[in-house]
Amino acid sequence: MSAGLTLGPYTLPNRWFVAPMAGVTDRPFRRLCKRLGAGYAVSEMITARPELRDSLKTARRANHAGEPGPIAVQIAGTDPEMMADAARYNIDRGAQIIDINMGCPAKKVCNKWAGSALMHDEALAAAIIEAVVAACEPHGVPVTLKMRTGWCAQAKNAPRLARLAEQAGVRMLTIHGRTREQGYSGQAEHATTALIKTLVRIPVVANGDIDSPEAADAVLRATGADAVMIGRAAQGRPWLFAEIDHKLRTGRPMPAPTPAQLRAWLTEHLLDHYNLYGEHTGVRSARKHLLWYLRALGGAPAAQQRLREAVVQATRPEQQLQALHAFLDTLQDPPAALPLAA
């Protein structure tokens, strides 16, 4: 069950993938998830607009220094030629796999008819897929596609787009089990993914509401999917990939991480984070990760409140690290798995 799959010239070590999430799956987070059991990770969405390529935000998103391969970069845009140029641009900078974003439901993306909004215009979606595949083929770079089940409940056209994408040369499909209209509300449905799996021969990845080894196993069995992709459930709990891998390989739950392990993992993540963003921005952007860790780790309410206040008030990296270490010293029980809704 945990054996990897082949994607172009690459054999992935397992079938537990990290979803691309804007503002979350930066290089430090991807590196940590891979170290803790994720077999594959895709970068944050990078815009295809050439005038934004030199921005600091894009430069950080495109930073893969020290990250184990294969390096997968997700691109988003609405113009086929611009998307093809973006693919070539990122390949020149180390991308080994190009992922097309047709899954993001954010208004600032969809209002420009990018992301999941492209599912509303199948002709444009097809033109973009064909242009990106044509740009990547001479370099031997596989193209993947992430999309939703459809634009809305009345227009679940993912099966049709899946066959179109396969015919155009896409090498792997990831299906988030919600429509663009749903955003992240309600429950993911994986019946559409199961249908797509019967229609195409390329690998299909199931995404949506997978927050435990049991959920991963259930979705794989229900859909026949080749892998699962995990997004929000990994926020604050990157060791979830190791838990899934251990349970599905051995049939037994993985022992909970010790405070010493947690201290090493979280410190490594934060130091890498500060290194990428610099002290001023890094302290601020680390807050969300620390608060997610706090949610996952539990602990005494008073100790939680002290860490929460210290994380928000800190102006230097060492202040956040000291507060985190002090909190970990108070932990008596191992972290308990939380449902995604938490």
Side-chain angles (χ1 to χ4, degrees), residues 16-205:
W16 335 124
F17 301 168
V18 187
M21 296 176 281
V24 180
T25 49
D26 53 16
R27 184 200 68 199
F29 188 74
R30 293 193 305 271
R31 286 181 60 178
L32 182 63
C33 288
K34 286 180 177 181
R35 195 162 93 72
L36 296 182
Y40 179 66
V42 183
S43 77
E44 301 172 82
M45 176 181 66
I46 296 178
T47 178
R49 291 169 59 188
E51 69 271 21
L52 298 178
R53 286 177 186 164
D54 294 329
S55 71
L56 180 58
K57 183 176 183 179
T58 298
R60 284 172 175 153
R61 289 188 171 190
N63 188 318
H64 300 278
E67 180 180 353
I71 303 300
V73 174
Q74 186 182 77
I75 58 174
T78 58
D79 179 81
E81 185 176 348
M82 198 178 292
M83 286 285 279
D85 285 342
R88 285 187 286 263
Y89 178 86
N90 283 284
I91 290 169
D92 288 343
R93 282 150 186 79
Q96 297 169 303
I97 297 168
I98 293 293
D99 184 63
I100 300 172
N101 182 326
M102 288 191 192
C104 180
K107 288 183 179 180
K108 67 179 180 180
V109 175
C110 288
N111 285 348
K112 297 177 182 176
W113 293 98
S116 56
L118 286 172
M119 300 186 73
H120 200 56
D121 187 338
E122 292 184 16
L124 178 57
I128 286 174
I129 293 168
E130 290 167 1
V132 172
V133 170
C136 293
E137 273 184 339
H139 304 275
V141 171
V143 175
T144 62
L145 171 67
K146 188 173 190 290
M147 62 179 169
R148 291 192 162 229
T149 56
W151 176 257
C152 62
Q154 292 73 39
K156 289 190 176 182
N157 59 339
R160 189 161 57 248
L161 282 170
R163 283 182 289 190
L164 180 154
E166 182 183 36
Q167 291 167 4
V170 164
R171 306 292 287 274
M172 185 173 76
L173 296 165
T174 299
I175 314 299
H176 184 122
R178 289 181 173 87
T179 64
R180 182 264 173 241
E181 186 178 61
Q182 281 182 276
Y184 293 99
S185 64
Q187 282 189 315
E189 63 87 2
H190 296 291
T192 301
T193 304
L195 172 60
I196 290 171
K197 180 60 184 168
T198 69
L199 299 175
V200 300
R201 296 182 179 180
I202 57 177
V204 175
V205 182

